Amino acid sequence: MFPQGFVGIEAQLWLWLLAMVRPGAAFLAAPVFGAPYVPVQLRLIVALAVGIPAAAAVPFAMPDGGLVTIAGAMMVFGEVLAGLALGFAVQIGFSAALLGGETIGNAMGLGFAGMIDPASGSSSPALGQLLSILGTFLFLAMGGHLMLASIIFDSYRALPPGQGWLGAESVRGLAMFGGTVFAAGLAIALPVGFALILVQIVMGMLARSAPSLNLFAVGLPATILAGIVLLAIGAPTMADAITASLQRGLDYAMQIAMGR
């Protein structure tokens, strides 16, 4: 498929460019790879390293006029759509950690404490950032980056370039899968969030029994202290919930790669 020698060097470069499109789009939408702190040059090299053997493993033909024709543009668009769907499915599973951290932060009264998220460049709650960093460590520890590369490679078999498009059912299923991020985020925040709600109920009962008690001066430090202790106790359970959410995202990306 790949021409040899300097005679077909231009055609080979066009093939390499097409092979980079799907992995590059997937890495752009996926966690860790798509972060602003990851150099673009490194992302392109990884996309090329994944795309060349994947494209060489399946037979496909370039359009007669190349990629600058309408047929070529449609082929590139299909590759971009497939790559974004694969990366976005993993990103949905990763976003549950950030949502869980925001829920716990609001329950602790730390919703106002924010910091710049290096992964997105925007401001996010401090606890959401903490769980997001934890999710990044777990994603790398479980080999999620290698699993994503394997999923992209396998997607070329069911969805070869120019011959396989994501159907309307696949796109609808991806949108419906996005709704699971709320359930996963609540599952991550449940061990700490529910206990914090009980602490706030106790603080409310104290405020009713002793009206002279300054609830803001007493309740906020008590809630923050209880939240820190509960975070330390519930860290293993929260880590398991984050890992399960990441695994669901990778599993759904595999379903998309299989053309389901």
Side-chain angles (χ1 to χ4, degrees):
M1 184 186 68
F2 293 100
Q4 303 295 325
F6 291 99
V7 178
I9 187 66
E10 181 180 358
Q12 185 172 355
L13 290 176
W14 281 111
L15 287 173
W16 286 1
L17 179 62
L18 180 63
M20 292 172 59
V21 173
R22 184 182 300 185
F27 292 148
L28 182 64
V32 182
F33 293 102
Y37 51 77
V38 177
V40 178
Q41 296 85 350
L42 178 61
R43 198 180 303 161
L44 291 176
I45 292 174
V46 175
L48 185 63
V50 175
I52 288 180
V58 295
F60 71 93
M62 293 283 288
D64 294 335
L67 297 181
V68 294
T69 60
I70 297 179
M74 294 300 294
M75 178 180 288
V76 172
F77 178 75
E79 291 294 286
V80 171
L81 183 62
L84 289 178
L86 294 175
F88 189 65
V90 183
Q91 184 66 257
I92 289 175
F94 184 82
S95 299
L98 180 61
L99 180 61
E102 292 182 0
T103 304
I104 296 174
N106 292 330
M108 289 178 60
L110 290 179
F112 59 87
M115 61 184 300
I116 299 300
D117 184 3
S120 61
S122 59
S123 178
S124 63
L127 283 179
Q129 180 63 21
L130 174 64
L131 292 189
S132 179
I133 295 174
L134 178 61
T136 301
F137 290 154
L138 292 174
F139 181 76
L140 297 176
M142 65 185 293
H145 56 300
L146 301 178
M147 296 173 63
L148 177 60
S150 176
I151 290 171
I152 296 173
F153 186 90
D154 294 337
S155 67
Y156 280 83
R157 300 175 182 175
L159 302 171
Q163 303 179 22
W165 281 73
L166 291 179
E169 192 64 27
S170 298
V171 177
R172 178 182 177 276
L174 181 61
M176 297 300 294
F177 178 70
T180 62
V181 68
F182 298 100
L186 291 177
I188 294 171
L190 186 61
V192 179
F194 182 73
L196 288 175
I197 292 175
L198 295 179
V199 172
Q200 292 178 356
I201 292 175
V202 173
M203 290 296 104
M205 295 174 62
L206 290 177
R208 293 290 294 177
S209 60
S212 60
L213 182 66
N214 190 340
L215 182 60
F216 185 80
V218 177
L220 182 60
T223 305
I224 294 176
L225 179 60
I228 294 174
V229 174
L230 290 169
L231 279 173
I233 297 174
T237 303
M238 295 169 62
D240 292 339
I242 294 174
T243 303
S245 178
L246 292 171
Q247 188 62 51
R248 282 196 296 269
L250 290 169
D251 291 342
Y252 195 81
M254 178 58 74
Q255 293 184 18
I256 296 176
M258 295 296 100
R260 301 174 185 172

